[in-house]
Amino acid sequence: MELFYRLFKLITHRQIVMQRQSREDHTPDRGTVELSLKENLAKLQTIFSKAPDLIIRTFIYKQTGQKAALVYLCGLVDKNSINNNVLYQLMFEPIVDNEQMSHLPITVGDLKSTTQWSNIELMLLEGHSILFLDGAELAYSLDTQGWPQRAISDSQIEASLKGSHQGFIESGWQNVALIRRLVSTRELKMVEMYIGSRVPCKVTILYMEDLTQPDLLQELEKRLKALNVDCILNTGELAEYLEDRPFSLFPQFITTERPDTAASQLLQGRLCLVVDRSSSVLIAPVGVAAFFQGVDDYSTRWPIATFLRIMRFIACFVAAFLPGIYIACISFNVEVIPLDLILSIGQFRASVPFPPFIEALIMEMMLEMLREAGVRLPAPVGQTVGIVGGIVIGQAAVQAGIVSNLMVVVVSSTAVASFILPNYDMAASIRLIRFPVMLIASLFGIIGIVACFMGLLIHVIQLKSLGESYSTPLAPMRLGDWKDVFVRMPLWSMKKRPDSIRTLQKTRIGPKRSKGDEE
C-alpha cells in the first residue's frame, strides 16, 4: 500500500504542478480602486457580469455632496440593516461640522477600508456591502451579512443523552461562537485563512495557546497553505487533503457536529478546524482510542461509562470479524464447533446451495443496501424500510433456501454491533473492513483471520494523525493515559492531561477533592 501511494504521488506531482502554473498564469490582476466612481462601477459590472443579484444603489452623500454608490449581492445581506444603518445615515443625516466629516455616519458593527479589487470581490461574496465615494481612491466594506440559514438545533448524527443539544450549522462565525460560548477564556486563539483559488472558503483554526504544542499548529498551517484547489465545500473534502495516509481506511481526523465535543478536545490540547459553509468541524491530532469515546461518557457515572466503553471495543471486533469467523469455522475449522451445534448447522445448511462466503456476501450486501436506502428515504419511511425490509427479506431468504438461519443471526449481530460505535466515520471503516476479512477467511480459515488482525494492528501502529502517532497510548504505551481508553476512571482520578497529546500544561485538576461523609 505504501509503495502504491508513493508511485501515485510521483505520477500526479507533475500534473499538479502544471495545473497550478496554468491557474496562476490565468488569474486576472484586479488592480486597485480608481478615483472616478463611474470607472469603479464599470469595472465592478465587468467583474460581476451576468449577475442579476448584484445591486448598485447610487445616491448623494449629504455630508460632502459627493456621488456615492452602495453595492451588494441580494440575498446575502440584511436589507433592514442596509436601509436603516447605512442608506438613511448617509442620505438624510444632518450636516455636522468639518471636524467630524472624516468619519462616516454609519451604525454598522464593522467598517473596513480597502483599495484592492480582489478584497472587494471576496467581501461581496461573503455578504458584505461595499461603499464607493466619488473622488476617494478606496472603498469601504460594511458588515451587513444576512444570508439565509437554519436555526441551531440538535445534531442528527451524534445523538446526545445528557450533554448539550446544540449542533453546528452552516455558518463559520456562528460555529466559532458556539465553541467560544463553551470555552470562555482569553487563551482560546484563532488563525483565519482562505482556501480555494476559484471559490475561496474561510477556514479557522482554534487552539488553546497555553495547552497546544506550537509545532502542531505550524504543521497544520503548513498543510493548509500548501493546498491549491478550486474550492472546499465541506470538512470531508478538507480532511482528505490533509490526511497523512489518504489510502488508509481509518479516519485520521475526528469530524463532529457537537460544540461540546469540540470544546472537550480543545481543552485536551488538540486543534479544531472550522470550515465556513459546513455543519461540522475537524479535530486533530487524534488516536484510534478517541473514536470510541463520547462526550456523554463524562456526564454519566464512571462504572456505567466504563461498561459502555468496553462494549464499544467488543462491538468493533464483532462488526469486523464475526462474519469471517463464521465462514472460517464452517469452511475450515469445524473442530472448534461443539458437536450439537454442528448437527444443527448442518441441518440448516442442507438446503443452502452456496458456500459460506457467498452466503455471507449476499446477506452483507443486502444489509448495506437496506442501510443506504433507509438513509436516503424520509425519516418515517426510512425506519420502516430498515426494520420491515430486514425482517421480510431475511425470512424470505431463509424460506427460499438461499441462506441459513444462523447466517441471518450472524449478519444481524454484525449490524447491531456496527451501530454501537459512536463515531460514524470509524463505524463505516469497520463495516468496510469486514469484506476483505470474509474473503481471507474463506481462503485460509482462522489463520487468515489472525493474519488480518495482526496486519490491521501493524497498519494502525504505522498511521499518523497530523504527524502524531495514531495508536497512542497503546503503542507507544503510556499507562497513565489508560485511565481513559478501555475504561473511564473517575474524573477526580484523571489529574493529568493525556501524555500522548504533548500538552504544554499537564495538570488538569488539583491534588485534592472535596470529601464526603463516608471519607
Side-chain angles (χ1 to χ4, degrees):
M1 184 67 72
E2 181 67 22
L3 180 61
F4 176 72
Y5 173 58
R6 292 182 179 180
L7 181 62
F8 178 80
K9 288 186 64 177
L10 182 63
I11 295 174
T12 57
H13 177 70
R14 181 174 178 80
Q15 297 179 354
I16 295 174
V17 171
M18 293 178 62
Q19 292 176 0
R20 181 180 303 174
Q21 293 176 351
S22 175
R23 187 180 293 117
E24 292 175 353
D25 293 340
H26 290 85
T27 300
D29 185 11
R30 301 299 188 189
T32 58
V33 177
E34 303 291 341
L35 287 171
S36 173
L37 177 62
K38 184 177 180 181
E39 293 181 4
N40 290 331
L41 296 182
K43 187 167 186 176
L44 186 67
Q45 290 176 333
T46 302
I47 296 175
F48 289 92
S49 61
K50 296 183 180 180
D53 57 341
L54 180 69
I55 306 300
I56 301 177
R57 178 69 164 86
T58 58
F59 58 93
I60 300 297
Y61 179 26
K62 188 173 182 179
Q63 295 279 6
T64 61
Q66 292 174 282
K67 293 182 179 179
L70 186 67
V71 183
Y72 57 90
L73 290 174
C74 183
L76 298 182
V77 297
D78 183 1
K79 292 185 178 181
N80 291 328
S81 177
I82 289 178
N83 294 332
N84 300 327
N85 301 332
V86 180
L87 290 178
Y88 181 83
Q89 306 288 338
L90 295 174
M91 297 172 63
F92 301 106
E93 279 295 311
I95 299 177
V96 297
D97 54 24
N98 293 332
E99 295 181 357
Q100 298 182 9
M101 286 179 59
S102 59
H103 303 285
L104 290 174
I106 297 176
T107 56
V108 294
D110 190 13
L111 174 64
K112 297 179 181 178
S113 61
T114 181
T115 60
Q116 300 295 324
W117 278 105
S118 57
N119 294 336
I120 293 174
E121 179 181 351
L122 180 61
M123 291 297 181
L124 281 172
L125 293 172
E126 286 188 345
H128 294 264
S129 299
I130 305 298
L131 176 64
F132 293 95
L133 295 176
D134 193 20
E137 204 171 7
L138 55 83
Y140 297 94
S141 172
L142 313 179
D143 184 15
T144 56
Q145 296 170 315
W147 56 80
Q149 59 187 9
R150 64 184 176 92
I152 296 175
S153 59
D154 200 357
S155 172
Q156 299 297 319
I157 298 179
E158 302 172 79
S160 175
L161 299 178
K162 299 178 67 176
S164 172
H165 289 275
Q166 288 184 330
F168 291 122
I169 61 174
E170 293 77 10
S171 175
W173 65 271
Q174 288 206 15
N175 292 341
V176 171
L178 288 172
I179 298 176
R180 171 77 78 177
R181 180 69 179 84
L182 297 176
V183 188
S184 302
T185 173
R186 63 181 181 181
E187 299 296 338
L188 179 61
K189 306 299 181 181
M190 305 177 194
V191 178
E192 291 185 351
M193 59 183 65
Y194 286 87
I195 306 298
S197 58
R198 186 176 299 276
V199 182
C201 176
K202 186 169 72 173
V203 176
T204 306
I205 305 174
L206 285 79
Y207 65 99
M208 301 294 292
E209 188 176 33
D210 59 338
L211 298 179
T212 306
Q213 281 287 348
D215 56 344
L216 294 178
L217 177 62
Q218 294 173 3
E219 177 65 21
L220 183 57
E221 288 183 344
K222 177 183 175 182
R223 297 189 185 188
L224 288 172
K225 292 177 181 178
L227 293 180
N228 192 355
V229 296
D230 282 346
C231 179
I232 297 292
L233 294 178
N234 53 65
T235 54
E237 294 181 8
L238 186 59
E240 190 170 345
Y241 286 119
L242 299 177
E243 286 178 341
D244 294 68
R245 297 287 186 87
F247 288 99
S248 175
L249 293 179
F250 294 98
Q252 294 149 52
F253 288 82
I254 290 180
T255 304
T256 180
E257 292 184 349
R258 293 181 56 172
D260 51 356
T261 299
S264 175
Q265 300 296 341
L266 281 172
L267 293 173
Q268 292 186 22
R270 293 188 171 96
L271 300 169
C272 183
L273 199 58
V274 178
V275 181
D276 195 17
R277 303 190 293 263
S278 178
S279 61
S280 57
V281 303
L282 295 177
I283 297 171
V286 294
V288 64
F291 293 94
F292 296 87
Q293 301 170 354
V295 174
D296 288 331
D297 294 350
Y298 305 97
S299 57
T300 307
R301 298 194 68 253
W302 70 270
I304 301 174
T306 297
F307 171 73
L308 296 176
R309 188 77 60 81
I310 295 174
M311 187 170 61
R312 289 170 191 160
F313 282 97
I314 296 175
C316 176
F317 181 84
V318 170
F321 293 99
L322 183 58
I325 293 175
Y326 170 81
I327 294 172
C329 292
I330 297 299
S331 303
F332 289 90
N333 307 95
V334 186
E335 65 277 2
V336 302
I337 306 176
L339 180 60
D340 295 339
L341 185 57
I342 291 178
L343 296 177
S344 178
I345 293 174
Q347 181 182 0
F348 291 144
R349 286 192 48 80
S351 60
V352 177
F354 303 112
F357 172 69
I358 301 299
E359 180 187 8
L361 185 62
I362 291 174
M363 290 303 299
E364 290 292 348
M365 291 301 297
M366 186 60 64
L367 174 67
E368 293 299 325
M369 286 189 288
L370 286 173
R371 191 199 307 266
E372 287 300 312
V375 172
R376 301 293 178 265
L377 292 173
V381 181
Q383 295 177 0
T384 304
V385 170
I387 298 175
V388 178
I391 296 175
V392 172
I393 293 178
Q395 185 65 29
V398 171
Q399 292 180 355
I402 300 176
V403 297
S404 62
N405 289 335
L406 186 58
M407 174 54 69
V408 175
V409 174
V410 170
V411 172
S412 302
S413 302
T414 304
V416 172
S418 64
F419 291 141
I420 297 177
L421 301 181
N423 186 273
Y424 174 80
D425 294 329
M426 179 59 73
S429 301
I430 297 301
R431 283 160 45 195
L432 188 59
I433 286 174
R434 78 167 69 114
F435 290 99
V437 171
M438 288 164 48
L439 177 61
I440 295 177
S442 67
L443 298 176
F444 305 103
I446 295 293
I447 296 177
I449 294 178
V450 173
C452 284
F453 183 74
M454 295 176 63
L456 286 174
L457 287 181
I458 294 172
H459 177 66
V460 169
I461 293 174
Q462 290 180 341
L463 273 180
K464 301 287 184 181
S465 174
L466 207 63
E468 300 296 315
S469 175
Y470 190 73
S471 58
T472 185
L474 306 177
M477 185 177 295
R478 294 183 171 91
L479 295 178
D481 294 353
W482 282 35
K483 295 180 180 180
D484 195 24
V485 178
F486 298 105
V487 298
R488 205 278 278 172
M489 298 297 290
L491 294 176
W492 49 263
S493 67
M494 294 187 286
K495 300 178 181 180
K496 303 291 184 180
R497 290 186 174 85
D499 293 332
S500 55
I501 309 177
R502 301 190 298 116
T503 54
L504 298 178
Q505 295 183 12
K506 297 297 183 183
T507 303
R508 178 157 46 188
I509 63 174
K512 297 181 179 180
R513 69 183 183 95
S514 59
K515 296 182 179 182
D517 296 336
E518 296 182 358
E519 300 182 10

